[in-house]
Amino acid sequence: MDYLDGLNPSQRAAVEQIEGPVMIVAGAGSGKTRVITYRVAHLIRKGVDPFNILVLTFTNKAAKEMRERIMKVVGSEAKNIWMGTFHSVFAKLLRVEAAKIGYPSNFTIYDTDDSKSLIRTILKEKQLDDKLYNANFVYNRISSSKNNLISPAEYLNNEHIQAEDFSTGRGNLGEIYQIYTQRCFKAGAMDFDDLLFKTNVLLREHPEVLYKYQNKFKYLMVDEYQDTNFSQYLIVKKLAANNENICVVGDDAQSIYAFRGANIQNILNFEKDYPDLKVFKLEQNYRSTKNIVSVANSIIANNKNQLKKSVFSENEEGDKIKVSRAFSDNEEGKIVAEAIAQEQALKGSKYHDFAILYRTNAQSRAMEEALRKLNVPYKIYGGLSFYQRKEIKDLIAYFRLTFNPNDEEALKRVINYPRRGIGDTTIERIMIAADQYNLTMWEVICDAPKYLDSRSSASVANFASLIQSFQVMTKTHSAYDTALHIAQHSTLLKDLYSDKSVEGLSRYENIQELLNGIKEFSEREDIEEKGLDIFMQDIALLTNDDNDKNPDADTVSLMTIHSAKGLEFDNVFVVGLEENLFPSQMSLSSRADLEEERRLFYVAITRAGKKLMLSYATSRYRWGTLTSCEPSRFIEEIDARYLELEFKSNTKTAGNSLFDDERSAWQQKETFSKPKPSSLPKTRSILPKAHVPSEGFAPSDTSGLQMGMEVEHERFGFGKVIHLEGNKPDIKATIFFKDLGQKQLLLKFAKLKIIK
């Protein structure tokens, strides 16, 4: 079994342990993907039927890479493994079993935009304040409930949840959740969270289905287990209950998705579920230099809540980690850009070997400006994906409607695009009739003369005939021919082609690119089902991490640290290492949140292979005002012997604070005036000036105050609400004021004016 020969002893032991519960703790750069793929290959070599193996990942890209590697060892048998993301695997399962929970097998999968559009419709119908019931907030509330397996009925009957909603003035959230769920069901649609929520419902309410899949999936492997939420945890636990041949792989030190519902306790407490668990630790880092690994270890050692491991590297010692201080965020960008340009010029490095990582997307501005000035090519990751572009979503809405005419979000999107004389008033009448007679919008449309006046019913009937003609087409034509027919006969292609602007041309080309993708899909030999409905299912389940991160494009990569997880670069710059930015101000109220921020820093550091540079600014614009910044506590946690401080002539010894001078300046409340191009900023005292209230200042009703709102206080000035706690009438608001920093105020006495 020569494929085992290239593994180190820890990797090999993990691969060869194929029976019983197994946890593989995989440190950064430790060859995790190789171990997973070889372990699956080893199962097959040992006689396990690939149809009985389930491998769950968090990105389609990871699943594709693993399958390709397994094929190199065991051949085409790898095609028979159930492998993919949680959402793609259980969407496939639900399509087979959908009827048991009252759904059609061709149910639509709503993306975030569809869900928020439906929420906005409900808010409008209920005449609720869309500022208080912000669609993003409502969507996240519903999503969080589903990930914790709280149904609408349970939500409405939970006294704690109801008390929390009413204390913030949002007592209708439970009702919105209930109506949202009913509308999705009526439309034959599931949102992303439903794919897991409904799987849990299916396995709970239909024991015969659970038994069927327990016997089918005799061997389970879960990648990135530290990123699983409660819903995912429960599915995996149920499926593995009979055979207990479950292997989870992950690194608690890289658990950074609590804001998405990930629960680090799933990996920390895994042994409690399986007392006879065998644990293997992959501790050799093959990616990074010894210095980079040592820095990462010294950082993560500060976290109390972790699985202990000793990550090491046998690579070269490497350069010390540079720490740069800048006077402003613009100067920080200049320092980073010049370092990249110099490295590229002197050593011939490729631009794609460099990455700039930051805590928030807003930090990219200063970096972009500096790179442009030096003509350094770059690409920002995490922007609008191809499938989120309006023209793409429009055409896909036609596809969705063709296969599921009850999909009301798709219907509303295209019923009058391109324009065909069906105005908002007509659409509203269709919705009212559907509600009044307990029909779907499609059922009303198909019998338009019965519910609408003759003038509007003719246009609506023509639209119904158009969609029905598309439905007939799907039964006899390929995915590509059907898609092209729909693009042409919906007149969407003609509408885009008639727009001769640069933007219009780009949109037309995007549609052509989508059609090219469908053509390529329909000609693939590695899949059996090639219908347009299968193509739509694939793209509906794309994850954020599946966006094109082409390593061959010679550009510097700019991205948030969250986006960088799983990637690696020779040279990494981690910028904006300042208190209240990184760690984020929102994370400073609890140890759990602070430890997650520290894990995020650990992830940033371990993306680097050869060189790592850290930087911070002593002043940064916030709220349009230049304010002082204190160096991040995370830099101080690094053992000083691994650092090279570019702004010091005398590096301090380990054990001493690296930033005594800066901390002293911060405590004395020094700041800088706006830097001039030709000179260093001058320091000046910033004793706070008395705030002059804006003209017509009058306190607002704060019963609907929510986090993120901007407010004005008659003495403290302008600020932003960062936290709310307590119950009426004693709700406390934590507000970050531009000039004074953070203050906690009792709302009933605060006299705040809500700006926005």
Side-chain angles (χ1 to χ4, degrees):
M1 295 186 179
D2 56 344
Y3 62 93
L4 297 176
D5 295 341
L7 300 174
N8 68 36
S10 298
Q11 291 173 330
R12 182 161 184 156
V15 166
E16 291 182 322
Q17 181 62 49
I18 60 175
E19 300 293 332
V22 171
M23 179 165 70
I24 302 173
V25 182
S30 62
K32 178 196 70 171
T33 303
R34 171 184 283 197
V35 170
I36 295 173
T37 53
Y38 282 9
R39 191 174 186 277
V40 175
H42 195 63
L43 282 167
I44 296 171
R45 284 282 182 92
K46 286 290 186 179
V48 175
D49 190 331
F51 283 101
N52 295 142
I53 300 173
L54 171 62
V55 182
L56 297 168
T57 67
F58 273 81
T59 68
N60 295 299
K61 181 182 174 184
K64 183 173 181 288
E65 181 184 348
M66 287 179 194
R67 194 185 297 275
E68 288 170 353
R69 289 198 193 185
I70 296 167
M71 285 182 70
K72 290 178 181 178
V73 180
V74 301
S76 60
E77 279 291 285
K79 293 180 181 179
N80 300 327
I81 303 164
W82 274 61
M83 178 183 284
T85 64
F86 275 88
H87 292 90
S88 65
V89 165
F90 295 114
K92 183 178 176 182
L93 185 152
L94 283 169
R95 292 208 184 274
V96 175
E97 311 291 348
K100 291 183 173 63
I101 54 173
Y103 274 85
S105 61
N106 64 340
F107 61 82
T108 296
I109 300 173
Y110 276 0
D111 66 13
T112 305
D113 286 347
D114 296 320
S115 295
K116 290 178 182 176
S117 173
L118 176 54
I119 288 167
R120 281 189 285 268
T121 299
I122 295 168
L123 294 177
K124 186 177 179 181
E125 290 173 357
K126 302 296 294 181
Q127 297 182 329
L128 293 168
D129 183 350
D130 59 4
K131 292 185 175 62
L132 181 60
Y133 291 93
N134 177 277
N136 288 336
F137 177 86
V138 176
Y139 171 78
N140 289 329
R141 188 73 167 173
I142 292 173
S143 174
S144 177
S145 299
K146 289 182 180 178
N147 286 331
N148 286 288
L149 301 183
I150 299 170
S151 68
E154 290 167 326
Y155 190 104
L156 286 164
N157 291 324
N158 187 302
E159 291 182 6
H160 174 74
I161 293 175
Q162 291 302 299
E164 184 181 347
D165 286 352
F166 277 97
S167 73
T168 59
R170 300 189 188 92
N172 294 99
L173 279 172
E175 184 187 10
I176 297 169
Y177 181 15
Q178 189 173 52
I179 296 171
Y180 172 84
T181 302
Q182 291 167 351
R183 293 284 176 85
C184 286
F185 183 77
K186 186 178 177 182
M190 295 189 196
D191 63 22
F192 258 51
D193 299 308
D194 278 328
L195 297 175
L196 303 181
F197 184 88
K198 300 295 183 186
T199 299
N200 271 295
V201 170
L202 177 70
L203 299 180
R204 182 188 66 207
E205 297 183 356
H206 297 274
E208 76 284 2
V209 176
L210 174 60
Y211 180 77
K212 170 183 173 181
Y213 288 101
Q214 283 175 335
N215 282 277
K216 179 175 181 60
F217 302 134
K218 293 177 180 175
Y219 292 84
L220 277 75
M221 285 192 72
V222 186
D223 188 18
E224 304 284 10
Y225 190 68
Q226 76 280 351
D227 293 335
T228 54
N229 59 32
F230 178 63
S231 183
Q232 291 162 328
Y233 159 82
L234 206 58
I235 292 171
V236 170
K237 191 170 186 292
K238 284 180 177 179
L239 290 176
N242 272 7
N243 300 298
E244 290 201 349
N245 292 322
I246 178 171
C247 173
V248 301
V249 186
D251 181 7
D252 59 296
Q254 298 185 64
S255 177
I256 59 173
Y257 292 118
F259 68 96
R260 291 186 192 167
N263 188 347
I264 192 173
Q265 298 304 319
N266 289 350
I267 193 167
L268 294 178
N269 296 330
F270 191 65
E271 193 166 3
K272 292 181 179 178
D273 287 332
Y274 305 96
D276 55 343
L277 177 72
K278 290 184 171 61
V279 179
F280 300 91
K281 295 182 180 180
L282 310 183
E283 297 173 308
Q284 182 172 354
N285 182 309
Y286 291 92
R287 174 189 304 155
S288 308
T289 64
K290 289 179 180 177
N291 271 329
I292 292 171
V293 169
S294 296
V295 166
N297 286 343
S298 68
I299 283 293
I300 206 63
N302 290 278
N303 272 12
K304 293 184 178 180
N305 205 12
Q306 62 175 298
L307 298 169
K308 293 295 182 184
K309 55 187 175 296
S310 301
V311 179
F312 67 95
S313 173
E314 292 185 354
N315 295 338
E316 62 183 0
E317 198 78 25
D319 295 340
K320 288 190 174 185
I321 282 64
K322 291 183 179 179
V323 180
S324 293
R325 175 185 64 191
F327 289 115
S328 67
D329 49 354
N330 286 334
E331 191 194 32
E332 183 184 34
K334 182 182 176 186
I335 290 171
V336 171
E338 287 178 348
I340 293 172
Q342 186 176 30
E343 187 81 10
Q344 192 272 341
L346 295 178
K347 299 187 179 178
S349 304
K350 296 290 186 183
Y351 286 121
H352 67 236
D353 293 330
F354 296 87
I356 302 173
L357 309 182
Y358 34 75
R359 181 65 181 82
T360 65
N361 278 308
Q363 291 170 256
S364 73
R365 180 200 57 79
M367 297 296 138
E368 288 186 74
E369 288 182 7
L371 292 169
R372 279 200 300 267
K373 285 177 182 176
L374 293 180
N375 294 316
V376 174
Y378 67 89
K379 182 173 181 180
I380 295 180
Y381 293 95
L384 191 67
S385 75
F386 178 77
Y387 291 104
Q388 291 300 313
R389 298 178 189 278
K390 179 187 180 300
E391 61 275 12
I392 301 300
K393 288 177 72 69
D394 288 338
L395 182 51
I396 288 174
Y398 273 107
F399 298 165
R400 282 166 45 177
L401 200 57
T402 299
F403 288 97
N404 177 14
N406 290 329
D407 182 345
E408 294 191 354
E409 291 307 308
L411 192 153
K412 287 188 290 184
R413 188 177 187 100
V414 299
I415 190 171
N416 197 39
Y417 177 73
R419 293 188 180 279
R420 51 176 61 88
I422 304 174
D424 291 345
T425 303
T426 301
I427 296 170
E428 195 168 329
R429 285 174 182 161
I430 294 169
M431 294 171 68
I432 291 170
D435 191 49
Q436 183 177 349
Y437 296 101
N438 195 27
L439 301 170
T440 64
M441 289 179 68
W442 178 249
E443 288 172 322
V444 173
I445 286 170
C446 288
D447 202 1
K450 182 176 178 181
Y451 302 102
L452 303 172
D453 59 59
S454 57
R455 190 165 61 91
S456 54
S457 66
S459 300
V460 170
N462 288 337
F463 175 72
S465 298
L466 179 71
I467 300 302
Q468 287 163 345
S469 72
F470 296 162
Q471 291 171 333
V472 172
M473 184 89 180
T474 63
K475 296 173 183 176
T476 54
H477 289 70
S478 70
Y480 173 74
D481 289 340
T482 302
L484 180 60
H485 178 88
I486 292 173
Q488 290 173 336
H489 288 78
S490 66
T491 70
L492 190 147
L493 264 184
K494 180 182 177 183
D495 186 73
L496 292 174
Y497 186 74
S498 64
D499 182 353
K500 300 300 183 183
S501 67
V502 174
E503 293 80 8
L505 179 61
S506 174
R507 287 191 285 268
Y508 182 78
E509 289 173 346
N510 285 338
I511 292 293
Q512 293 292 351
E513 183 59 32
L514 174 62
L515 294 171
N516 291 341
I518 297 172
K519 179 74 170 176
E520 183 180 341
F521 170 83
S522 65
E523 294 175 353
R524 281 173 57 180
E525 296 180 357
D526 60 328
I527 54 173
E528 294 180 11
E529 296 182 274
K530 302 176 185 178
L532 185 57
D533 55 334
I534 304 300
F535 174 82
M536 289 195 307
Q537 178 179 311
D538 283 356
I539 62 172
L541 294 166
L542 287 174
T543 66
N544 291 335
D545 296 322
D546 293 318
N547 290 340
D548 178 29
K549 295 184 176 73
N550 180 7
D552 299 321
D554 198 22
T555 55
V556 175
S557 298
L558 274 67
M559 65 185 81
T560 64
I561 301 165
H562 283 100
S563 298
K565 187 166 180 284
L567 303 179
E568 58 183 84
F569 303 88
D570 284 350
N571 310 280
V572 170
F573 297 80
V574 186
V575 301
L577 278 159
E578 299 137 32
E579 284 293 293
N580 299 323
L581 180 56
F582 196 15
S584 162
Q585 186 171 24
M586 300 294 290
S587 72
L588 302 181
S589 59
S590 74
R591 177 176 295 280
D593 290 344
L594 182 59
E595 291 202 347
E596 170 130 342
E597 286 287 293
R598 190 176 284 112
R599 292 194 295 269
L600 190 59
F601 187 37
Y602 177 87
V603 166
I605 290 170
T606 53
R607 298 313 93 203
K610 296 178 180 177
K611 286 192 173 184
L612 173 66
M613 184 173 124
L614 312 176
S615 62
Y616 72 95
T618 57
S619 63
R620 187 177 295 270
Y621 274 97
R622 290 181 184 171
W623 301 74
T625 302
L626 197 67
T627 57
S628 284
C629 303
E630 181 183 7
S632 171
R633 69 188 70 191
F634 293 156
I635 305 180
E636 292 191 81
E637 291 174 353
I638 301 172
D639 192 326
R641 64 184 141 162
Y642 304 119
L643 300 180
E644 176 185 328
L645 311 183
E646 292 195 319
F647 51 89
K648 293 272 188 185
S649 58
N650 56 327
T651 303
K652 299 194 176 187
T653 58
N656 290 341
S657 170
L658 293 172
F659 299 105
D660 289 343
D661 296 342
E662 285 79 4
R663 190 169 307 285
S664 175
W666 174 258
Q667 289 168 346
Q668 293 170 30
K669 294 186 177 178
E670 292 182 351
T671 191
F672 298 103
S673 60
K674 186 174 180 179
K676 296 179 181 178
S678 60
S679 65
L680 295 178
K682 297 176 182 178
T683 61
R684 61 180 174 85
S685 170
I686 57 158
L687 292 173
K689 298 176 182 177
H691 173 69
V692 179
S694 57
E695 187 176 348
F697 176 88
S700 305
D701 175 9
T702 55
S703 60
L705 193 72
Q706 57 184 295
M707 286 187 290
M709 281 187 170
E710 296 174 19
V711 295
E712 181 184 9
H713 187 277
E714 59 183 351
R715 284 197 299 117
F716 302 148
F718 296 97
K720 190 170 188 175
V721 181
I722 60 174
H723 186 62
L724 292 168
E725 61 181 277
N727 298 315
K728 288 183 178 180
D730 298 313
I731 297 175
K732 295 177 183 176
T734 303
I735 301 172
F736 182 82
F737 290 98
K738 290 191 294 182
D739 298 324
L740 299 174
Q742 187 172 307
K743 284 188 176 293
Q744 191 176 66
L745 305 175
L746 199 59
L747 281 189
K748 62 184 178 183
F749 300 128
K751 295 183 179 178
L752 296 171
K753 179 181 179 181
I754 298 174
I755 307 299
K756 60 178 179 178

